[in-house]
Every structure is written in C-alpha cells, then in structure tokens.
Amino acid sequence: MGHVTIAFLGDIFAVPGRRVVQQQLPTLRADHEPDLVIANAENACRGLGLSPDLYRKIRGYGIDAITLGDHVFREAKIVEVLETPGEPIARPANLPASAAGREWIRIEPSGDRTRSVFVITVLGRVFVSLPSDSPFTTVDRILAALPEPDPIVIVEAHMEATSEKAALAHHLDGRVAAVLGTHTHVPTADARILPGGTAFITDVGMCGPYDSVIGRDKRAVVKHMSTSMYTPFGIGEGDEALCGALIRVDEATGRAVHIERIEYRADRTQPPFAGQGGPRGETGASGQQR
Ligand SMILES: [Fe+2]
Ligand SMILES: [Fe+2]
C-alpha cells in the first residue's frame, strides 16, 4: 500500500470561481498529481447554490467529487442530481434524514490506489442560519456505519466559527484522515496534523475573486455595511484564485502524513478570463454571502 493524495478545493464562487478552477486545475494536477480532487460548489451558481448544468460543467473541469453547504438547496433543480444514484455529490450530512441527497459518498481514486475515500460534509451550528443536527454526533453515527473497516474519511467542516471547526477536528482526531474547514471563503494559515494523525485546517478559502468581500462586489457590501441601506450584492471581480488543501493519506493506516495549503492565482491575460470561451458574466442575486 502507498499513499493517496487528495486535493480539496474551497467554495467555487460564481463565474470568477469557475473560471479560475477551469484555468488552474490542470496546473495543480500537473504539480501534485492528486489521485482525487474534491471541491465545494455551494456558491457556483451566481454565488448561491449549484444547478445541474453547472454540476456537470464543474465535473468536466476535472473535479471528481462535489460537496455542498448551507446553500445546498438554493438551486432547487440540484435535487435531481442529489437523488441520482452514483453521482459523486454530498449534501450536508446533519440535515434532516428526509432531506434529498446522500450523507456520505464513496469515491474510488484514479490510478493504482487500492482504498476507497469516503467524503462527509457537515454544517456548523454557530452563526449558520440553516438548522442542523449536531455535526459531532452525526459524524460519529456515520463513521460507525460506513461499509468498510478502518475507512479513509475526509470530513468537511462547513462552519463559520473557528472554535467549532477546531472542536470537531479534535473530536475526530485519530478517527478520520482530515477535517477541512470551508464556508468563510477566507484561507487560514494553520494547516497541520493533529496528534492522532488527522490533518486539519480551519478554512481552505474559496475559489473565487479575492478583490471582494468574501466573493461579493466590494463596493456594494461596503455601501450596505457602512449605511445599513438595502444594497443588492453583485459578484466581485479581481484577484481570482483557486484555494484549497492538499492531503496525503497513508493507505495502510487511513491517517494523514501531510497537509499543505494550496493557492493558484488566475492569469487574467489568458482564457477563460481573456478572450472567448469562458462563462458569460453574471450579476448575481442579493442575499447571504457565504
Ligand atoms: Fe456556506
Ligand atoms: Fe460558501
């Protein structure tokens, strides 16, 4: 047995996020040769939700598995994808059992890897408006039921509070390969391996425009926050980057041996940012940003 290398990308945010993934993922793949690339795509469609068409488009960029967060059902048609057997897409596991979609997915990495990788995403309950069950007991329950002894498990902590993410990571230390934070759209500098062998980072950041307020048009958000007047939030533009984490997992133990933060900045002189062929611009809907 060897090691399985997994790239996990943060929330793909609207057109700028889709463009930077399309442009930079081939470079990431050439640099790190991941066996598996996972991305959160809850903000892919105008900043809120994921449509079936965009699900297929993003998969076509080279993303092997997709997760969703609190915006999981904002594009209602995604339910048909969530309910299609075998589609590699996970909804937050700690939603009601009756919600559409799967609590965990099982992915077979490419190449000569011998182990499956299980992916679970859970919502936080601190400063996250969508009601959800305990992420702690939800992951405990799923780990006890996975159909493989000592499985390789990636847990996404889709949470606002840094404390909740750290607590979940320590709760799961030694039992999963990685706990990777998303949702704030801001990368953190704390990637490390915990004492029990679980890789952890508070937030991998987003794939999107960083010259913005967490993806939204900075002028609109500044106006709203500085005046308290209603202001529609468009999509930000500029400083696009693909952000995520790279994890290497020992297939024999299911524990991480390496984690690093990864960031690939867009080349705005090249397609799909320049010239033809990229997704057309969108103005985006107003609403909650993360
Ligand atoms: Fe979110
Ligand atoms: Fe998000």
Side-chain angles (χ1 to χ4, degrees), residues 11 42-43 69-71 123 158 182-183 185 290:
D11 309 30
E42 70 154 3
N43 302 107
D70 48 310
H71 300 308
L123 297 179
H158 195 81
T182 56
H183 178 70
H185 298 185
R290 293 176 293 281

Side-chain angles (χ1 to χ4, degrees), residues 129-214:
S129 59
L130 193 64
S132 59
D133 296 333
S134 165
F136 298 85
T137 54
T138 296
V139 177
D140 289 346
R141 172 175 58 76
I142 292 171
L143 290 180
L146 288 179
E148 190 174 297
D150 202 20
I152 295 174
V153 182
I154 304 294
V155 175
E156 175 186 0
H158 195 81
M159 301 174 170
E160 179 73 20
T162 54
S163 54
E164 194 175 17
K165 292 173 175 179
L168 182 68
H170 288 296
H171 179 70
L172 296 173
D173 184 23
R175 296 192 287 147
V176 303
V179 175
L180 306 172
T182 56
H183 178 70
T184 74
H185 298 185
V186 177
T188 60
D190 61 337
R192 64 194 191 277
I193 297 180
L194 301 177
T198 295
F200 173 55
I201 181 170
T202 298
D203 207 297
V204 300
M206 67 173 165
C207 298
Y210 279 80
D211 189 16
S212 70
V213 177
I214 62 172

Side-chain angles (χ1 to χ4, degrees), residues 82-156:
L82 288 168
E83 292 188 328
T84 302
E87 290 289 354
I89 182 169
R91 57 107 159 136
N94 52 338
L95 295 179
S98 53
R102 285 179 291 283
E103 294 185 337
W104 54 269
I105 51 176
R106 177 182 194 158
I107 311 294
E108 309 300 334
S110 58
D112 57 357
R113 302 275 63 86
T114 56
R115 301 280 310 271
S116 302
V117 174
F118 295 85
V119 180
I120 305 168
T121 182
V122 282
L123 297 179
R125 297 192 294 179
V126 181
F127 301 132
V128 175
S129 59
L130 193 64
S132 59
D133 296 333
S134 165
F136 298 85
T137 54
T138 296
V139 177
D140 289 346
R141 172 175 58 76
I142 292 171
L143 290 180
L146 288 179
E148 190 174 297
D150 202 20
I152 295 174
V153 182
I154 304 294
V155 175
E156 175 186 0

